[in-house]
Amino acid sequence: MTIQQVLLLLLLWMWLPHPCHTEMLFRRTPDLRPKSFGGRALGNDGKAIHRQKRGWMWNQFFLLEEYTGSDYQYVGKLHSDQDKGDGSLKYILSGDGAGTLFIIDEKTGDIHATRRIDREEKAFYTLRAQAINRRTLRPVEPESEFVIKIHDINDNEPTFPEEIYTASVPEMSVVGTSVVQVTATDADDPSYGNSARIIYSILQGQPYFSVEPETGIIRTALPNMNRENREQYQVVIQAKDMGGQMGGLSGTTTVNITLTDVNDNPPRFPQSTVHLRIPESSPVGTAIGSVKATDADIGKNAEVEYRIVDGDGTDMFDIVTQKDTQEGIITVRKPLDYETRRLYTLKVEAENTHVDPRFYYLGPFKDTTIVKISVEDVDEPPVFSRSSYLFEVHEDIELGTIIGTVMARDPDSASSPIRFSLDRHTDLDRIFNIHSGNGSIYTSKPLDREISQWHNLSVIAAEINNPKDTTRVPVYVRILDVNDNAPQFAVFYDTFVCENARAGQLIQTISAVDKDDPLGGQKFFFSLAAVNPNFTVQDNEDNTARILTRRNGFSRHEISTYLLPVVISDNDYPIQSSTGTLTIRVCACDSRGNMQSCSAEALLLPAGLSTGALVAILLCIIILLVIVVLFAALKRQRKKEPLILSKEDIRDNIVSYNDEGGGEEDTQAFDIGTLRNPAAIEDKKLRRDIIPEALFVPRRTPSAPDNTDVRDFINQRLKEHDTDPSAPPYDSLATYAYEGNDSIAESLSSLESGTTEGDQNYDYLREWGPRFNKLAEMYGGGESDKDTS
């Protein structure tokens, strides 16, 4: 706060009437002691009532806010009539802020404020005061309440609830149109002085807007403000207290004002004439081009509706309004033909859909333009004389017969020859063909209505000069019926006659079918191919017939089956007929005519045994035979099983009795290194796997050269097996070194043939034929060499 403001506040405060503590000193309460009055009042008990005067009394104290002095601010003085000035009384203060904000001199009763007070925080304080005797501490005056009211000064500027306001007003509004109201608040006391009296003024935004000083309502100040010229305005409003006088405090706010659009601008075409082009081959609905009228307005005020109002092409073209782009799309309404017409002229109108009556004076809100459409020539495909063709032909026509002709032309001004062809995907069997020059369709295979009654063909027409541009037309060929099929039985009939049948008894009803379809419907006639003594046919004249018996009784033993030929004829031209044969079985029936059995073999079976029982018996016999065969096969297989089943019991030096090994060259049979390990020669011991008494003395043969390594290895292994309690019995296994008893053919082993090879004669091998010549040369080589020498 400046010095000028402080001086002004002091000046105002001096001119205003202020009740103060001096006033309180002169106002006294009556004495507490009783005084006599001219009259006495009597109580209920008849005693006189004495009125007592109060010793003190005071009203409000007033205190100026925002005190800036260095000393405590003096509030006022409390004084009692009982105070003689000798210091015998003590003043006590209590209540709001007592002892902290407000202090009292207990001897004099002077009240001071200890700090600066803000009225906006608290406008008044309620306190209580009492005077007591220092010596007795007894009150000399009753406790009394008083109020200290804070006087306001202008220390708060006006403030707006929002720093920036947003508002809008329609364009072209009249002067004085209300835009928005802004309101500022002042924290000062509105009931005291002009500290809270606010006046509004406009600092920025003139001459377009104004503000009412008392209310803060912002209004338009210029007529016909056009959004198309300027849309946004920024207005600054000031709020000043003290009634707007000099020295008042102020605050400001900003108001952003937007002019909203109204329909005050008509649509206008930028060009008076528009030229468009389109090929004559464009299909219906094709978009040719677009026209657009500009409108300075926005939103719905700029929406335009387009229409064709005049011209020589109103029936050939349409115009559609595109809402999102506000364009008029011109489309083809009917097929175009360059040879018929090459230029069309349209008059297109654009009009606003939402018109504001207030702005009718600005002119009509519509505009027109001329649209010229040029049709361009294109090479058009051939045009058929019809959209589709239907030909009917009988199925018995000869090959090569023409069934119909299709016609097409070139619509262009320069007519070109046409070439016709069939789409083979519609005639996979190649039943038809077409003449490429004149479009005549003829048959290339026989027709059969019963196979296919309709043929759907597709004929292609193309210009010879431009074969890529083609046209297709559907051709429907209906095959008419000819009576070329004979009737036949409708179903396969399983017919029987009972042995006890009577003459004239019905045994079967037959019917027929025919693949043909005559116009008058089917009519069949039934008869027998020859007179039959057993059966006859009776025509029912409704395309059915009955098979009747001609005699009594039939026997399965004599004849079990009868064949009855039946002739079936139709009534169409030419008449077709066929012979169907009925197979009639002779069966045994009950009294009601129900079939029981038809086979002659059934008579030979026992009376009480049915066919199902016989089948069951045969199945049981076959199952028993299969079980016996399986049992015998299992028994034989058990006898041939080896005694040793586990592979772990067979050692590397024990083989079957008919396996002699492969010698030292056979590295796959055993590890030859094992034979190289020397072992000590031990005495011979009896072997557990050979019965001693069963051994025969072998025939002595010249011994081979001694090999100690092999002999030691064999002796060692024999010793191990002789002492092995788990060795296998002799009749199943033997060591590979044991070959059994001598045979007449003597030993075939190569272990002892080294010394006797030269003593043997192998000449007999040459007598065995050419297959043994090589073997004879190997063993008889010495003599042959001598012969050659």
Side-chain angles (χ1 to χ4, degrees):
M1 188 178 294
T2 62
I3 299 176
Q4 291 82 357
Q5 291 176 339
V6 174
L7 293 176
L8 179 61
L9 293 175
L10 292 176
L11 181 62
L12 292 173
W13 183 77
M14 292 174 63
W15 283 100
L16 292 175
H18 293 285
C20 61
H21 61 278
T22 56
E23 178 184 359
M24 298 304 296
L25 294 176
F26 289 103
R27 297 179 66 181
R28 295 289 181 264
T29 60
D31 194 356
L32 293 177
R33 291 173 296 179
K35 293 184 179 181
S36 301
F37 292 91
R40 294 185 178 180
L42 298 176
N44 295 333
D45 54 359
K47 296 182 181 180
I49 299 175
H50 301 280
R51 178 179 297 171
Q52 296 180 348
K53 297 191 299 181
R54 296 195 55 182
W56 59 16
M57 184 176 128
W58 51 77
N59 290 330
Q60 293 180 349
F61 289 125
F62 294 91
L63 184 63
L64 193 66
E65 71 168 332
E66 302 294 345
Y67 172 71
T68 58
S70 58
D71 298 333
Y72 290 166
Q73 186 179 3
Y74 184 71
V75 178
K77 186 177 182 65
L78 301 178
H79 187 72
S80 175
D81 292 342
Q82 303 296 325
D83 190 359
K84 304 301 183 181
D86 55 359
S88 61
L89 295 182
K90 179 180 179 181
Y91 295 96
I92 301 175
L93 187 66
S94 62
D96 292 341
T100 56
L101 180 57
F102 302 103
I103 60 175
I104 188 171
D105 190 338
E106 61 182 15
K107 293 182 179 181
T108 64
D110 294 329
I111 301 175
H112 292 82
T114 60
R115 58 179 176 84
R116 184 174 61 181
I117 299 176
D118 188 1
R119 188 202 68 83
E120 284 71 37
E121 294 181 2
K122 195 174 180 74
F124 62 90
Y125 296 85
T126 302
L127 295 96
R128 293 179 300 278
Q130 193 176 29
I132 64 174
N133 190 295
R134 285 182 177 272
R135 184 173 59 81
T136 62
L137 300 180
R138 297 181 62 184
V140 297
E141 295 280 358
E143 186 179 46
S144 185
E145 187 175 79
F146 64 95
V147 176
I148 299 177
K149 188 173 182 180
I150 310 302
H151 272 177
D152 183 46
I153 64 173
N154 190 17
D155 59 342
N156 292 280
E157 69 278 359
T159 58
F160 290 93
E162 297 183 17
E163 294 183 0
I164 298 178
Y165 288 84
T166 301
S168 62
V169 63
E171 64 172 333
M172 309 298 290
S173 298
V174 298
V175 176
T177 302
S178 176
V179 180
V180 69
Q181 182 179 11
V182 294
T183 303
T185 59
D186 197 323
D188 294 326
D189 190 0
S191 63
Y192 182 75
N194 294 328
S195 299
R197 184 186 173 193
I198 300 174
I199 299 297
Y200 300 93
S201 61
I202 185 168
L203 300 182
Q204 178 182 326
Q206 295 174 332
Y208 307 102
F209 299 95
S210 63
V211 63
E212 292 183 356
E214 299 292 338
T215 61
I217 298 177
I218 301 174
R219 300 181 183 275
T220 58
L222 286 180
N224 299 329
M225 287 191 294
N226 197 342
R227 184 199 64 83
E228 287 73 31
N229 296 332
R230 183 177 177 183
E231 185 177 5
Q232 300 289 337
Y233 294 87
Q234 190 175 72
V235 179
V236 178
I237 302 297
Q238 182 189 59
K240 191 173 183 181
D241 59 10
M242 297 300 293
Q245 298 177 6
M246 185 179 296
L249 304 178
S250 64
T252 61
T253 188
T254 301
V255 182
N256 293 327
I257 301 175
T258 303
L259 295 183
T260 58
D261 184 59
V262 297
N263 193 6
D264 59 339
N265 295 279
R268 291 289 181 263
F269 282 105
Q271 298 174 351
S272 59
T273 304
V274 179
H275 293 273
L276 300 175
R277 294 179 177 273
I278 182 172
E280 63 172 336
S281 60
S282 300
V284 174
T286 302
I288 305 172
S290 64
V291 293
K292 183 175 183 180
T294 59
D295 194 327
D297 298 322
I298 59 175
K300 69 176 184 178
N301 297 319
E303 292 181 0
V304 178
E305 187 71 25
Y306 296 91
R307 65 180 63 91
I308 300 175
V309 295
D310 198 4
D312 54 10
T314 55
D315 60 336
M316 300 296 296
F317 304 95
D318 280 331
I319 188 166
V320 181
T321 302
Q322 196 77 16
K323 296 298 183 181
D324 53 348
T325 61
Q326 289 299 307
E327 292 180 336
I329 309 300
I330 301 175
T331 60
V332 178
R333 186 177 182 180
K334 293 182 179 180
L336 302 174
D337 188 4
Y338 173 82
E339 288 72 26
T340 303
R341 187 159 192 165
R342 304 180 182 183
L343 181 64
Y344 295 89
T345 302
L346 304 176
K347 186 178 182 180
V348 178
E349 180 184 77
E351 183 181 10
N352 280 139
T353 56
H354 302 280
V355 180
D356 194 336
R358 297 177 299 169
F359 305 105
Y360 278 155
Y361 67 91
L362 296 177
F365 285 80
K366 62 177 65 175
D367 194 15
T368 59
T369 186
I370 301 299
V371 179
K372 294 185 177 182
I373 302 175
S374 299
V375 180
E376 297 179 344
D377 186 26
V378 296
D379 190 5
E380 299 177 83
V383 178
F384 284 94
S385 59
R386 301 179 190 175
S387 59
S388 63
Y389 293 86
L390 173 62
F391 301 133
E392 293 183 346
V393 60
H394 287 88
E395 61 177 327
D396 61 345
I397 63 172
E398 297 180 359
L399 296 181
T401 302
I402 296 177
I403 64 173
T405 302
V406 297
M407 298 175 56
R409 64 178 181 85
D410 184 8
D412 297 323
S413 55
S415 180
S416 176
I418 306 300
R419 181 184 181 87
F420 299 94
S421 62
L422 275 176
D423 186 355
R424 287 305 175 184
H425 291 89
T426 61
D427 185 25
L428 296 176
D429 296 331
R430 296 183 176 270
I431 299 175
F432 301 94
N433 212 335
I434 189 171
H435 194 282
S436 62
N438 58 21
S440 298
I441 301 175
Y442 57 92
T443 59
S444 58
K445 288 184 179 180
L447 301 178
D448 191 351
R449 188 199 67 87
E450 286 70 39
I451 296 177
S452 179
Q453 186 176 357
W454 286 91
H455 295 273
N456 301 325
L457 308 177
S458 179
V459 177
I460 304 172
E463 297 180 14
I464 296 178
N465 298 332
N466 184 14
K468 294 183 179 179
D469 206 355
T470 61
T471 304
R472 292 172 176 263
V473 67
V475 176
Y476 306 104
V477 180
R478 180 182 181 183
I479 310 302
L480 302 179
D481 185 41
V482 173
N483 191 23
D484 57 348
N485 290 278
Q488 297 176 350
F489 282 131
V491 295
F492 173 78
Y493 294 101
D494 185 11
T495 307
F496 70 94
V497 60
C498 296
E499 288 182 313
N500 55 357
R502 299 293 180 181
Q505 184 175 343
L506 174 66
I507 62 173
Q508 182 70 58
T509 300
I510 60 176
S511 62
V513 293
D514 194 336
K515 295 181 180 179
D516 296 323
D517 188 15
L519 295 178
Q522 296 285 3
K523 179 64 178 176
F524 302 125
F525 302 96
F526 301 88
S527 62
L528 292 180
V531 177
N532 191 292
N534 300 310
F535 305 97
T536 185
V537 174
Q538 183 178 356
D539 197 332
N540 297 326
E541 297 183 357
D542 60 351
N543 293 340
T544 64
R546 295 184 298 169
I547 307 299
L548 305 175
T549 59
R550 295 189 65 180
R551 63 183 179 88
N552 296 329
F554 294 87
S555 175
R556 286 182 291 171
H557 300 285
E558 297 177 359
I559 300 176
S560 63
T561 303
Y562 293 89
L563 299 178
L564 182 64
V566 179
V567 179
I568 309 172
S569 304
D570 58 21
N571 67 337
D572 203 358
Y573 181 81
I575 295 176
Q576 300 287 341
S577 63
S578 66
T579 301
T581 302
L582 281 177
T583 301
I584 303 175
R585 297 178 297 159
V586 179
C587 300
C589 302
D590 57 12
S591 60
R592 296 181 180 180
N594 297 324
M595 180 183 65
Q596 290 183 341
S597 176
C598 295
S599 59
E601 291 78 0
L603 299 175
L604 303 176
L605 297 176
L609 198 59
S610 63
T611 304
L614 290 176
V615 173
I617 293 174
L618 290 176
L619 289 176
C620 293
I621 294 173
I622 292 173
I623 293 173
L624 290 175
L625 291 176
V626 171
I627 293 174
V628 171
V629 171
L630 291 176
F631 182 79
L634 291 175
K635 190 173 182 180
R636 289 185 60 189
Q637 186 175 2
R638 288 180 182 178
K639 292 181 179 181
K640 294 182 180 181
E641 289 183 354
L643 297 178
I644 301 177
L645 300 179
S646 176
K647 295 182 180 180
E648 297 179 355
D649 293 335
I650 301 175
R651 291 161 174 78
D652 56 355
N653 59 340
I654 299 177
V655 295
S656 59
Y657 67 92
N658 59 349
D659 186 3
E660 300 178 351
E664 296 182 356
E665 298 297 330
D666 187 3
T667 59
Q668 300 298 328
F670 55 91
D671 187 2
I672 196 65
T674 307
L675 302 177
R676 304 302 180 186
N677 295 328
I681 300 177
E682 297 184 1
D683 297 335
K684 295 183 179 180
K685 294 185 178 181
L686 296 177
R687 295 176 54 178
R688 299 178 64 253
D689 56 338
I690 298 176
I691 301 176
E693 57 273 17
L695 295 178
F696 297 94
V697 179
R699 183 180 176 180
R700 296 295 180 180
T701 57
S703 61
D706 190 11
N707 190 328
T708 57
D709 293 338
V710 175
R711 186 178 64 253
D712 294 340
F713 170 76
I714 293 174
N715 291 333
Q716 181 181 357
R717 303 301 289 172
L718 285 174
K719 179 181 179 181
E720 291 176 2
H721 283 279
D722 289 339
T723 58
D724 187 5
S726 61
Y730 73 95
D731 60 347
S732 61
L733 296 174
T735 61
Y736 69 93
Y738 176 69
E739 298 178 356
N741 297 331
D742 291 345
S743 63
I744 300 174
E746 298 183 350
S747 177
L748 297 178
S749 175
S750 60
L751 296 178
E752 299 179 357
S753 61
T755 57
T756 61
E757 181 178 358
D759 299 336
Q760 293 184 6
N761 185 6
Y762 297 98
D763 292 338
Y764 62 88
L765 293 176
R766 299 181 182 277
E767 300 175 359
W768 287 5
R771 295 185 180 182
F772 295 92
N773 289 340
K774 187 66 177 177
L775 187 61
E777 291 176 1
M778 292 175 60
Y779 289 90
E783 296 179 1
S784 60
D785 292 340
K786 294 177 183 179
D787 296 337
T788 57
S789 59

